[in-house]
Amino acid sequence: MAAAPVGPGAAFFEVLDRHRASLVAALRRGGPEASAQGTRLASRFEDSVGLQMVAHCTTRKIKSNSLKSVKKFALILKILSMIYKLVQSNTYATKRDIYYTDSQLFGTQTVVDDIINDISCMLRVPRRSLHILSTSKGLIAGNLRYIEEDGTKVHCPCGTTAVAVPSNIQGIRNLITDAKFLLIVEKDATFQRLLDDDFCNKMSPCIMVTGKGVPDLNTRLLVKKLWDSFHIPVFTLVDADPHGIEIMCIYKYGSRSMSFEAHNLTVPAMRWLGLLPSDIKRLNVPRDSLIPLTKPDQGKLDSILKRPYITCQPFWRREMEIMAESKMKAEIQALTSLSSDYLSRVYLPNKLKFGGWI
């Protein structure tokens, strides 16, 4: 029988425990860190929810008697009829399943994806209420157990392996964890390296999740469910570049394409753990480990700085300004220039112990 993972001890988690207590207190007050409940539309960005649909947004009409839109109209009706059958029979299908029912008619998977999003937005219901699921690409590891909809008992490992994020997050139940924190890792390569370094055992009890880049819907739903269920601190570990910041913003504030479901997907209480642009200078990361910002990078950074939620995050703004001033970016792997296991042995433990998040 495998020995239970032994973490660093209670004293290590004192700052984390205080952070969690402050988050729970904010929830009780109904402040900006609170989770929003219920479906509603907002006319602006809300720091308690994230990006929301505006109340008077632009709409478009698709008519059955118009040559320009008759095919789109027919495809919407076809997918609506399939959704009706799924709901009536209490069965589920993936977007890929729907596409392959008549791939020649739909043409591309993107056509199906866009129509499903339009229907979900039009009816103001989450996609899972349409009985349409997404294929999961994310992974999860650490101190977590749950039961899937079909009764399968899942015990997430704390070693060098991980399990796939479930395809039906709404169906999982009996979630159990004693984790002190949830760490979202941007890239699969970094996630795997942390597993190889036995990070989950060394920092036990904890949970690690990766969406393997831009997160899919199920990974976002899982992170939200874990936050709503346990209210443990949620941190992100992303590259110190505009793309990594964008991914972090999706977890925390949502995306425009899914703004109609922001209240089910966002975790505004999430914190940026690393890699911070200021850490690059503080740790004396060698310059030859850094990468110059490209013109698209600079454009992306400028775009993020103009977003309304950045006004609520002065420390984030300062980190992005540091990046812009240096005209350099860094991947998490740049820390290996300090030592091969610097990330798991020094960087993350110190950040977690001493509160090095913003």
Side-chain angles (χ1 to χ4, degrees):
M1 186 174 178
V6 179
F12 179 91
F13 294 112
E14 285 181 359
V15 176
L16 270 170
D17 288 341
R18 289 200 296 270
H19 178 51
R20 182 183 185 184
S22 69
L23 294 176
V24 172
L27 281 169
R28 289 172 179 163
R29 292 194 304 269
E33 303 287 41
S35 297
Q37 301 294 330
T39 303
R40 56 198 175 94
L41 299 181
S43 58
R44 59 183 176 84
F45 161 77
E46 294 186 15
D47 58 2
S48 64
V49 182
L51 293 174
Q52 292 272 72
M53 282 182 62
V54 295
H56 304 290
C57 54
T58 302
T59 60
R60 54 196 171 96
K61 293 182 179 180
I62 299 173
K63 301 179 180 179
S64 61
N65 60 351
S66 168
L67 289 176
K68 289 184 178 180
S69 60
V70 64
K71 182 177 180 180
K72 181 74 174 286
F73 185 86
L75 293 178
I76 291 174
L77 287 183
K78 181 173 179 63
I79 292 178
L80 278 170
S81 70
M82 297 173 71
I83 290 170
Y84 177 78
K85 291 175 183 177
L86 289 170
V87 173
Q88 286 291 96
S89 61
N90 196 30
T91 55
Y92 292 83
T94 65
K95 294 186 294 182
R96 200 70 176 159
D97 292 333
I98 290 176
Y99 168 69
Y100 278 117
T101 60
D102 199 333
S103 58
Q104 288 189 332
L105 175 65
F106 292 121
T108 66
Q109 180 70 55
T110 303
V111 170
V112 174
D113 295 350
D114 290 345
I115 290 176
I116 290 170
N117 283 341
D118 286 345
I119 291 172
S120 183
C121 182
M122 177 177 66
L123 299 179
R124 296 185 184 179
V125 296
R127 189 192 303 164
R128 59 195 172 278
S129 296
L130 305 177
H131 284 230
I132 296 175
L133 306 176
S134 299
T135 303
S136 295
K137 66 171 183 171
L139 298 172
I140 184 167
N143 300 71
L144 178 67
R145 289 178 288 160
Y146 57 86
I147 299 175
E148 293 190 340
E149 188 178 34
D150 63 0
T152 301
K153 294 181 179 179
V154 178
H155 191 163
C156 297
C158 287
T160 58
T161 58
V163 299
V165 169
S167 59
N168 186 1
I169 301 301
Q170 189 180 31
I172 66 175
R173 62 187 189 279
N174 293 10
L175 287 87
I176 300 172
T177 188
D178 59 349
K180 292 288 189 178
F181 64 91
L182 166 61
L183 179 63
I184 301 169
V185 183
E186 174 193 351
K187 297 190 297 191
D188 185 37
T190 305
F191 182 84
Q192 296 297 335
R193 178 57 195 263
L194 289 173
L195 291 180
D196 291 342
D197 288 348
D198 208 21
F199 181 80
C200 279
N201 273 323
K202 292 174 181 175
M203 292 292 105
S204 179
C206 67
I207 300 170
M208 280 204 317
V209 171
T210 181
K212 298 183 179 181
V214 178
D216 59 285
L217 181 65
N218 290 324
T219 301
R220 294 173 63 189
L221 285 168
L222 177 64
V223 169
K224 172 68 171 176
K225 192 176 187 77
L226 290 172
W227 163 249
D228 285 345
S229 300
F230 304 110
H231 297 137
I232 56 175
V234 180
F235 302 112
T236 53
L237 176 65
V238 299
D239 288 337
D241 66 15
H243 184 70
I245 295 171
E246 178 75 272
I247 288 172
M248 179 172 59
C249 289
I250 290 173
Y251 282 108
K252 187 175 176 75
Y253 294 120
S255 59
R256 287 185 180 181
S257 62
M258 297 296 291
S259 60
F260 60 90
E261 207 180 337
H263 54 282
N264 289 322
L265 295 172
T266 58
V267 182
M270 189 207 76
R271 295 290 185 268
W272 185 1
L273 188 66
L275 180 64
L276 302 181
S278 60
D279 289 337
I280 297 169
K281 183 177 182 180
R282 179 176 62 85
L283 299 173
N284 293 316
V285 175
R287 191 169 179 83
D288 59 8
S289 298
L290 308 182
I291 306 168
L293 286 176
T294 64
K295 195 169 182 178
D297 286 334
Q298 292 172 340
K300 169 70 75 176
L301 193 59
D302 291 341
S303 171
I304 296 173
L305 282 166
K306 293 175 183 175
R307 294 179 188 175
Y309 47 73
I310 296 302
T311 61
C312 308
Q313 296 290 343
F315 295 111
W316 283 29
R317 171 176 285 278
R318 181 56 193 148
E319 291 295 330
M320 284 183 268
E321 288 172 347
I322 290 171
M323 186 188 301
E325 290 164 5
S326 70
K327 294 182 169 55
M328 302 295 284
K329 60 183 180 180
E331 296 184 337
I332 297 166
Q333 286 82 353
L335 295 179
T336 59
S337 64
L338 304 177
S339 73
S340 61
D341 61 349
Y342 191 86
L343 175 66
S344 61
R345 181 177 57 86
V346 180
Y347 183 77
L348 289 177
N350 283 342
K351 284 269 188 171
L352 292 165
K353 183 177 181 178
F354 299 110
W357 54 77
I358 58 175

